[in-house]
Amino acid sequence: MKHFTLSDIQQMDRKFRMNFVQSLPGFKTANLIGTKDLKGQENLAIFSSVMHIGSEPPLLAIKMRPVHVARHTWENIQETGFFTLNYIQPSMLPNAHQTSANFEKPISEFDACGLTPRYSSDFFAPYVAESTVQIGLKLAETHTITANGVILLIGEVQEVWMEETGLAEDGHLDMEKLNALAISGPDRYHTTQFFKELPYGKLM
Amino acid sequence: MKHFTLSDIQQMDRKFRMNFVQSLPGFKTANLIGTKDLKGQENLAIFSSVMHIGSEPPLLAIKMRPVHVARHTWENIQETGFFTLNYIQPSMLPNAHQTSANFEKPISEFDACGLTPRYSSDFFAPYVAESTVQIGLKLAETHTITANGVILLIGEVQEVWMEETGLAEDGHLDMEKLNALAISGPDRYHTTQFFKELPYGKLM
């Protein structure tokens, strides 16, 4: 086995370390976050760090580094309280990935990246019409990580839109039918195959 | 598209809602968390909610619901400050999944589930010898979610052990070579294929 100490990691070249440490948590899902400011300016940015926090109430956590490309997203969420999560499918690449470029207002990443905003009558922030799963969230609370200033947004799910065929009988979302992509590290995309479903462990 | 409002989600059958909401964040990675109490009693439990928080210092967040099967893990981390994350491979199933059963001390899930504890000379908590990636972490800070009492542990990476062939030249971990499994929802496992690597977006 190869061994890396904390000191080895600290001495890695910056880009190498970023790839290495961002790979450690393994797979996550590629999402676009859609927001709009109070003047109506839309914003779209790629995020891959989303975590389930609870089901009752339905809560998700999103990691936000309030600099560079995430800045407009964070400003809009603070201003309005609403944002959307939209799955990225293979057919949406490389356009969706281009939202990580540093566009300045008044350019909308929807236009710049050839993606279509879609509105639900009950919800303020824009969805991405091309996405098979579209989740509307309301900011519930925030936590700031002392060690590095990263912000964790906790959002309460307000509504979910999804392709009908993607819902399994037991409530699971069928990731393969929804063409969901897994990401590892900062920029590696993977397709998936269903392998196995295992019931919650019973004492052997 | 199928539409679910917050009220629809709240009215779902409990198990259906759990599958549904836990599926929303998409893919994550199957990990075993290894801990040991001060008397030397080892504990192993399956967790799938791990998030990258930062690379400098290297930080990961783990969601902890301090009840049932996670209770011993959380007690041991509070007592000692150390824990390990260990990737689950297909050959480790269904054993690794059985760690979600409610074993009582002095039973070790290592023994009960047929997995092998391994110690690094520099680290207190046990690794899982069968895992292709083994990460040693030290508790750095905790955050409690107001809405539901869930605890987010922020751990600083102290060392990483991994199969040599799994490290790409640019620092990425090669998930397919490492036989990493993706999980969706509470209990669906997926294998993956590399699809595409896209550079950080440049302004078009």
Side-chain angles (χ1 to χ4, degrees):
Chain A
M1 304 270 283
K2 210 164 165 57
H3 183 216
F4 300 92
T5 64
L6 177 56
S7 163
D8 293 333
I9 295 171
Q10 285 163 340
Q11 284 162 41
M12 286 172 178
D13 160 78
R14 189 171 174 279
K15 176 72 179 162
F16 189 97
R17 177 175 52 237
M18 203 176 84
N19 289 338
F20 183 80
V21 182
Q22 283 196 36
S23 292
L24 291 180
F27 296 108
K28 50 217 178 181
T29 289
N31 276 288
L32 288 166
I33 295 192
T35 57
K36 194 174 70 173
D37 69 17
L38 290 177
K39 292 177 188 156
Q41 172 74 42
E42 295 162 344
N43 186 276
L44 196 60
I46 192 166
F47 283 81
S48 60
S49 287
V50 182
M51 185 192 268
H52 173 262
I53 293 293
S55 298
E56 203 178 347
L59 300 171
L60 305 179
I62 291 95
K63 181 184 78 171
M64 188 73 54
R65 190 178 273 280
V67 290
H68 306 307
V69 295
R71 187 165 49 86
H72 295 150
T73 299
W74 176 224
E75 286 169 1
N76 291 351
I77 295 173
Q78 285 179 294
E79 192 172 298
T80 69
F82 294 102
F83 59 107
T84 68
L85 278 182
N86 308 271
Y87 282 22
I88 296 172
Q89 282 78 240
S91 60
M92 291 165 66
L93 291 176
N95 297 30
H97 199 82
Q98 289 293 336
T99 59
S100 63
N102 203 0
F103 298 102
E104 282 303 321
K105 292 185 181 184
I107 297 173
S108 158
E109 290 82 5
F110 280 104
D111 295 336
C113 302
L115 295 164
T116 316
R118 186 186 78 80
Y119 284 90
S120 160
S121 57
D122 300 328
F123 202 73
F124 181 81
Y127 294 103
V128 179
E130 288 81 0
S131 293
T132 54
V133 179
Q134 304 166 20
I135 306 167
L137 294 128
K138 182 177 158 187
L139 182 63
E141 54 186 281
T142 61
H143 295 264
T144 304
I145 307 300
T146 310
N148 67 357
V150 156
I151 299 167
L152 289 176
L153 309 189
I154 312 296
E156 187 187 44
V157 177
Q158 302 296 297
E159 59 171 10
V160 176
W161 294 86
M162 59 178 291
E163 299 229 332
E164 303 228 2
T165 53
L167 186 66
E169 273 184 22
D170 63 359
H172 271 99
L173 271 60
D174 186 317
M175 294 294 155
E176 283 79 20
K177 283 194 183 152
L178 291 164
N179 284 320
L181 280 170
I183 292 196
S184 67
D187 51 19
R188 286 197 170 191
Y189 291 85
H190 308 256
T191 56
T192 63
Q193 280 73 44
F194 176 73
F195 174 62
K196 198 174 272 201
E197 184 167 333
L198 287 170
Y200 197 72
K202 297 269 181 286
L203 198 55
M204 283 178 293
Chain B
M1 303 271 281
K2 210 164 166 57
H3 183 217
F4 301 91
T5 64
L6 177 55
S7 163
D8 293 334
I9 295 171
Q10 286 164 339
Q11 284 162 42
M12 286 173 177
D13 160 77
R14 189 172 174 279
K15 175 74 180 160
F16 188 97
R17 178 176 51 239
M18 201 176 86
N19 290 337
F20 183 80
V21 182
Q22 284 197 33
S23 292
L24 292 179
F27 295 109
K28 51 216 176 181
T29 288
N31 276 288
L32 289 167
I33 296 192
T35 56
K36 193 173 68 171
D37 69 17
L38 290 178
K39 291 178 190 154
Q41 171 74 41
E42 295 163 343
N43 186 277
L44 196 61
I46 190 166
F47 282 82
S48 59
S49 287
V50 181
M51 185 192 268
H52 172 262
I53 293 294
S55 298
E56 203 178 348
L59 301 170
L60 305 179
I62 291 95
K63 181 183 78 171
M64 188 73 55
R65 190 178 274 279
V67 290
H68 306 307
V69 295
R71 188 166 47 86
H72 294 151
T73 299
W74 176 224
E75 286 170 359
N76 291 351
I77 294 174
Q78 286 178 293
E79 194 173 296
T80 70
F82 294 101
F83 58 106
T84 68
L85 279 181
N86 307 271
Y87 282 22
I88 295 172
Q89 280 78 243
S91 60
M92 291 165 66
L93 291 176
N95 297 30
H97 199 81
Q98 288 293 337
T99 60
S100 64
N102 203 0
F103 298 101
E104 283 303 322
K105 290 184 183 182
I107 296 173
S108 158
E109 291 81 4
F110 280 103
D111 295 336
C113 301
L115 295 163
T116 316
R118 184 185 79 79
Y119 283 89
S120 159
S121 56
D122 300 327
F123 203 72
F124 180 81
Y127 293 103
V128 179
E130 288 82 0
S131 292
T132 55
V133 178
Q134 305 167 19
I135 306 168
L137 294 128
K138 181 176 158 189
L139 183 63
E141 54 186 283
T142 60
H143 295 264
T144 304
I145 307 300
T146 310
N148 67 357
V150 156
I151 298 168
L152 288 176
L153 309 190
I154 311 297
E156 188 188 42
V157 176
Q158 302 297 298
E159 58 170 11
V160 176
W161 293 86
M162 59 178 292
E163 299 230 331
E164 301 228 3
T165 54
L167 186 67
E169 274 184 20
D170 63 358
H172 272 99
L173 271 61
D174 186 316
M175 294 294 154
E176 283 79 20
K177 283 195 184 151
L178 291 164
N179 284 320
L181 281 170
I183 293 196
S184 66
D187 50 18
R188 285 198 170 191
Y189 291 84
H190 307 256
T191 56
T192 64
Q193 279 76 43
F194 177 73
F195 174 62
K196 196 174 272 199
E197 184 166 333
L198 287 170
Y200 198 73
K202 298 269 181 285
L203 199 53
M204 284 177 294

